[in-house]
Amino acid sequence: MSVPSVKFNRKDQPEFVRELRKRVNTYFQENNISKHANLKMKVKTVFMLFLYFTPLILLISGVVTNMWMIALMWVLMGLGMSGIGLSVMHDANHGAYSQNKRVNQIIGFVINFLGGYHVNWRIQHNVLHHSYTNVDGHDEDLENAVMRLSPHQEHKNIFKLQFLYAPLFYGIMTLFWTFGKDFIGVVRYNKKQLLEGQGRTFATAMTEVVFHKLWYLALTLFLPMIVLPIAWWQTVLFFLLMHFICGLFLALIFQPAHVIEETAFISASDDGSVENSWAIHQLRTTANFANGSTFFSWFVGGLNYQIEHHLFPNICHVHYRKISKIVKETAQEFNLPYHQHKTFFAAVKSHFVLLYRLGMGNLDHKILSA
């Protein structure tokens, strides 16, 4: 069973995307700039890797023995996981880090050191989410058995409290990836014939998942349990804390980019067609936030420029701030939306307001369908 394709409307202002690509390409050509990682990106890569691996090495080498210092190491690892996920492996798995495919593969593989599986991530994120953003039944980022993230999804009474329990489930997101989701994903993507596109058979993918999970847990959980001078259950709690920090941080960056009051949620027609072209669809379903904060943008891998990322996923995020002006001006010229919140807090607030409305069964939300 293959994934039914969504048919975007190529007649929907095709001149917009042509003009936008022309202007963005001209920016890089005139300034003689590569679309891939620059020196600042490489320095950031080293920093994020050190932020995660240095505390890990200090823990498993037995250098850190004080309880509070041990706790600090796990907290730093949680932040390092977030930084690597948002700023390093994300670009690499999009092919945006380097012109060299092998370099992208090596850096993208780092997700396995965080408990994930690089093949599944590319399928869910690159193939399904980026291709079918906010399209009901296609974008797996909206599919969550314990939460209602789209007005097209069935309402259940338990969802009335989702605006309260959402942070808990966001916090265990990467834990679920580690212990459950990747196994489920391999089975599901095999049925949808999506593993083939990544050069994997079902047996190969499942073997890789099991192998990577085992060495990941041995390195980050079992070895610290043996080495650290604290009770084993305390190490388990710190391990859970690390994942909770990372999961919550990742969710609060990605969710306000698509699941907010201003963005559209799409339901394709029976033949898979939708109203807009792919580029315009991205503008309607995606939002930016906190674009005035340089440090915040640095740490989150430029993903507060989510519009630019969705329109140009093969461009390294260090360039998003510069091209965002081009994208915004071009969208305005063609009378197209350019959703953005001035602050991160405003974006998160919009997300939780929508969670509340969806949880209460309020369907009075901006819904676009073919």
Side-chain angles (χ1 to χ4, degrees):
M1 178 184 67
S2 61
V3 178
S5 62
V6 172
K7 302 175 184 177
F8 292 100
N9 183 3
R10 296 184 178 181
K11 297 181 180 180
D12 181 26
Q13 299 191 67
E15 61 276 9
F16 163 69
V17 70
R18 286 198 299 266
E19 183 62 25
L20 178 61
R21 289 173 179 170
K22 176 184 176 182
R23 293 179 182 182
V24 170
N25 288 333
T26 298
Y27 163 77
F28 285 99
Q29 292 168 0
E30 291 183 347
N31 291 280
N32 194 27
I33 299 173
S34 168
K35 294 181 180 180
H36 297 95
N38 55 18
L39 179 59
K40 291 183 179 179
M41 178 62 190
K42 295 173 183 177
V43 171
K44 181 197 291 192
T45 300
V46 173
F47 175 84
M48 294 301 181
L49 291 175
F50 268 83
L51 185 59
Y52 177 72
F53 286 105
T54 300
L56 176 60
I57 292 172
L58 292 176
L59 288 175
I60 62 179
S61 64
V63 173
V64 179
T65 57
N66 177 271
M67 173 66 80
W68 291 109
M69 288 301 296
I70 290 174
L72 176 61
M73 294 300 101
W74 288 102
V75 170
L76 291 176
M77 287 172 64
L79 295 175
M81 286 179 67
S82 304
I84 292 172
L86 294 168
S87 297
V88 181
M89 81 85 191
H90 185 267
D91 277 36
N93 278 313
H94 271 294
Y97 194 97
S98 171
Q99 290 182 331
N100 189 312
K101 184 177 180 180
R102 185 60 177 167
V103 171
N104 288 322
Q105 290 175 339
I106 292 173
I107 298 177
F109 184 83
V110 175
I111 188 177
N112 294 279
F113 283 90
L114 311 181
Y117 176 49
H118 59 296
V119 174
N120 277 358
W121 190 92
R122 287 199 296 262
I123 292 174
Q124 178 176 339
H125 188 76
N126 294 1
V127 178
L128 300 177
H129 172 63
H130 270 264
S131 299
Y132 314 120
T133 311
N134 280 16
V135 178
D136 184 53
H138 292 79
D139 184 356
E140 288 194 356
D141 282 13
L142 297 178
E143 297 179 12
N144 189 322
V146 295
M147 294 177 64
R148 186 173 185 242
L149 299 176
S150 166
H152 294 290
Q153 295 168 347
E154 178 185 1
H155 178 264
K156 298 179 182 179
N157 287 332
I158 190 176
F159 296 148
K160 291 182 179 180
L161 298 176
Q162 68 177 11
F163 72 101
L164 295 175
Y165 64 69
L168 173 62
F169 283 97
Y170 288 163
I172 63 175
M173 179 177 67
T174 57
L175 276 171
F176 180 48
W177 289 353
T178 301
F179 292 102
K181 187 174 181 179
D182 279 329
F183 295 95
I184 298 171
V186 168
V187 174
R188 183 169 65 250
Y189 297 149
N190 180 61
K191 291 180 179 179
K192 294 182 177 181
Q193 299 176 12
L194 291 171
L195 289 177
E196 297 177 8
Q198 300 296 319
R200 298 295 194 282
T201 64
F202 173 76
T204 300
M206 188 58 75
T207 300
E208 288 182 344
V209 168
V210 173
F211 175 71
H212 292 317
K213 301 301 180 184
L214 287 177
W215 68 254
Y216 166 74
L217 291 173
L219 180 66
T220 60
L221 181 58
F222 299 137
L223 189 55
M225 287 172 61
I226 296 172
V227 174
L228 294 176
I230 58 177
W232 67 268
W233 58 267
Q234 292 175 316
T235 299
V236 172
L237 289 179
F238 285 138
F239 176 82
L240 296 177
L241 173 64
M242 173 188 71
H243 271 280
F244 190 87
I245 291 172
C246 179
L248 184 61
F249 200 92
L250 292 179
L252 292 182
I253 295 301
F254 283 107
Q255 293 291 52
H258 301 288
V259 187
I260 57 174
E261 297 172 281
E262 293 81 3
T263 53
F265 294 84
I266 314 299
S267 178
S269 62
D270 293 339
D271 65 353
S273 62
V274 296
E275 180 180 358
N276 300 119
S277 67
W278 178 83
I280 295 177
H281 173 88
Q282 298 303 322
L283 288 174
R284 296 192 182 282
T285 58
T286 309
N288 287 359
F289 51 87
N291 293 158
S293 176
T294 302
F295 175 77
F296 180 79
S297 182
W298 179 87
F299 190 83
V300 303
L303 294 180
N304 55 328
Y305 290 94
Q306 193 76 196
I307 294 174
E308 286 68 32
H309 172 59
H310 268 253
L311 290 173
F312 299 98
N314 294 324
I315 294 179
C316 184
H317 75 264
V318 292
H319 305 295
Y320 291 161
R321 179 184 294 273
K322 292 293 185 178
I323 69 172
S324 64
K325 182 178 180 181
I326 299 172
V327 175
K328 184 176 182 179
E329 290 179 350
T330 307
Q332 291 175 338
E333 287 180 24
F334 284 84
N335 295 315
L336 296 172
Y338 187 89
H339 303 304
Q340 60 183 149
H341 283 103
K342 186 175 182 180
T343 66
F344 173 56
F345 175 79
V348 172
K349 178 183 177 181
S350 181
H351 171 62
F352 277 91
V353 168
L354 179 58
L355 286 185
Y356 175 81
R357 294 176 63 189
L358 291 173
M360 292 298 172
N362 185 349
L363 296 180
D364 183 21
H365 183 70
K366 181 172 51 181
I367 303 173
L368 294 182
S369 59

